[in-house]
Amino acid sequence: MHITLKETAAKMLEAENLVITTHVNPDGDALGSSLALYHMLVRLGKNVEVLVDDDIPESFGFLPDIEAIQKPEKESYPADYLIMLDVSKDRIGQVLNKCQAPIINIDHHRTNDGEADFLYLDAEKAATAEIIYQLAQELTVTPDSAVALCIYTGLSTDTGNFRFSNTSAFTLRAAADMVEAGAQPHVVSEALEKRSFKEVLDRAKAMETIEMAMEGRVAGIFIDNVLYETLDTTEGFIDGVRIIDGVDVAVLMKEVEPGKCRVSMRSKGVDVSVIATEFGGGGHVRAAGCTIEEPLVEAKTKLLEVISRHI
Ligand code: AMP
Ligand code: MN
Ligand code: MN
């Protein structure tokens, strides 16, 4: 059932024990939004746990209280509500079984499945962090520098550092407010752009796999499991193909286990969320992802076939 942001805030304010969760393979919006809300609810005197059923990339170590995030290792997590951010039920892993509380879902993905007990969905927003920024006002919490840094991180990462087409005047105003409240933009960009020498060399190896298709309108990096196992990160690789002149759809496909490929897509025009949805994934018009349970070559063929129907 859809609820307003005011109702969302009211539910949080009346609760005592809350669990916050977000998607596996967490990004800056997932972690920034979760920790910003964590800080605000703790300040309001709530008992709050943050659970993420995945490893947290080390690069997010600069986020205040990142160590508060736990894996769902206990048998169960009783709570008044499970607050699910930046995701639908299908990508929170074990948290779904272990926390049986009614779900409050806050999201900006147009492909949200709408299955939460209480849903606040705003697909016009560039990041869940924009909604958390608005929610702060409803909770009557003034963001301190910790909350500001977390929200700024979400805004920045989901907009490609305020460069993608989802960047709006609202995004920039929210970011300005967060800088005023103490977030330092260079802290975020330096932490997230930093790469080891090995990672720079890895990126060069991955770039060698670039293939063009559909007369240069599609370009992809295709990383088989052997190469994948040698890489420390694939973060940002897709930006290397997205910028090729004439490319509409950029793809990063990586075989994370033999026979299982994780796909990221970016586009300049085509609605890639529709393509991702055909494979059980989702996302936004210009940034989407899915997992294809096939070896790399077969997954590539299937993906390119679906892209060709939409381009
Ligand atoms: P990524 O390429 O991982 O940065 O993801 C791009 C967008 O697609 C993000 O908004 C993700 O939340 C969404 N997305 C990625 N993978 C999936 C998936 N398997 N299911 C649903 N949404 C996804
Ligand atoms: Mn996300
Ligand atoms: Mn997001």
Side-chain angles (χ1 to χ4, degrees):
M1 141 188 192
H2 284 262
I3 56 173
T4 65
L5 202 55
K6 202 177 261 317
E7 289 164 338
T8 307
K11 287 193 183 300
M12 292 180 187
L13 289 171
E14 86 198 6
E16 270 176 44
N17 300 297
L18 295 157
V19 172
I20 298 173
T21 194
T22 187
H23 56 81
V24 295
N25 200 15
D27 52 32
D29 189 29
L31 297 172
S33 295
S34 297
L35 286 172
L37 185 58
Y38 167 78
H39 278 100
M40 294 194 285
L41 293 173
V42 167
R43 253 169 63 196
L44 289 165
K46 310 296 177 190
N47 275 321
V48 194
E49 287 186 274
V50 188
L51 302 176
V52 178
D53 193 7
D54 209 341
D55 296 328
I56 309 300
E58 269 175 37
S59 53
F60 289 109
F62 71 95
L63 286 174
D65 277 341
I66 186 92
E67 59 289 341
I69 302 178
Q70 304 284 321
K71 280 196 182 163
E73 275 159 356
K74 285 196 268 175
E75 202 52 35
S76 73
Y77 293 87
D80 300 322
Y81 291 109
L82 172 62
I83 305 173
M84 201 167 75
L85 302 178
D86 197 44
V87 67
S88 319
K89 270 168 146 176
D90 57 334
R91 285 206 303 149
I92 61 170
Q94 287 296 312
V95 179
L96 187 62
N97 318 322
K98 293 192 170 185
C99 184
Q100 301 279 345
I103 297 179
I104 300 176
N105 187 190
I106 300 176
D107 194 14
H108 70 126
H109 291 92
R110 64 209 300 271
T111 52
N112 185 292
D113 64 14
E115 282 190 23
D117 301 283
F118 305 102
L119 172 63
Y120 183 77
L121 176 67
D122 185 352
E124 297 298 313
K125 291 285 183 281
T128 297
E130 287 189 9
I131 308 174
I132 301 299
Y133 163 80
Q134 292 181 304
L135 182 64
Q137 291 163 10
E138 298 293 346
L139 291 169
T140 64
V141 176
T142 306
D144 59 14
S145 60
V147 170
L149 182 59
C150 293
I151 291 180
Y152 181 92
T153 299
L155 301 174
S156 166
T157 52
D158 263 25
T159 58
N161 264 318
F162 310 104
R163 289 175 303 130
F164 298 156
S165 60
N166 57 358
T167 310
S168 66
F170 184 89
T171 318
L172 296 169
R173 285 197 189 98
D177 279 354
M178 295 303 96
V179 172
E180 211 155 56
Q184 294 182 289
H186 73 96
V187 169
V188 179
S189 56
E190 283 171 14
L192 297 181
E193 280 167 12
K194 191 174 62 190
R195 295 287 179 269
S196 68
F197 180 49
K198 176 182 179 296
E199 285 168 350
V200 172
L201 295 180
D202 282 352
R203 184 177 168 125
K205 268 194 250 167
M207 288 298 157
E208 282 179 8
T209 73
I210 292 182
E211 287 179 39
M212 306 291 289
M214 292 161 233
E215 283 136 13
R217 287 190 292 162
V218 179
I221 296 177
F222 298 94
I223 299 172
D224 65 20
N225 187 251
V226 175
L227 177 57
Y228 181 76
E229 290 298 333
T230 71
L231 305 177
D232 290 347
T233 181
T234 56
E235 198 53 47
F237 287 9
I238 197 164
D239 295 317
V241 279
R242 197 177 55 80
I243 57 174
I244 299 171
D245 192 20
V247 166
D248 184 342
V249 178
V251 174
L252 169 67
M253 179 179 283
K254 50 195 192 191
E255 194 175 18
V256 293
E257 294 165 22
K260 178 176 170 182
C261 294
R262 194 171 287 159
V263 179
S264 289
M265 287 179 281
R266 302 289 182 269
S267 106
K268 299 208 183 80
V270 174
D271 183 350
V272 284
S273 75
V274 175
I275 297 167
T277 303
E278 285 204 28
F279 292 100
H284 312 280
V285 175
R286 294 200 157 97
C290 58
T291 298
I292 304 178
E293 304 270 351
E294 298 273 0
L296 187 80
V297 175
E298 286 80 359
K300 185 187 357 179
T301 306
K302 286 194 173 169
L303 180 69
L304 290 176
E305 191 274 315
V306 174
I307 294 175
S308 73
R309 276 198 275 112
H310 289 278
I311 205 159

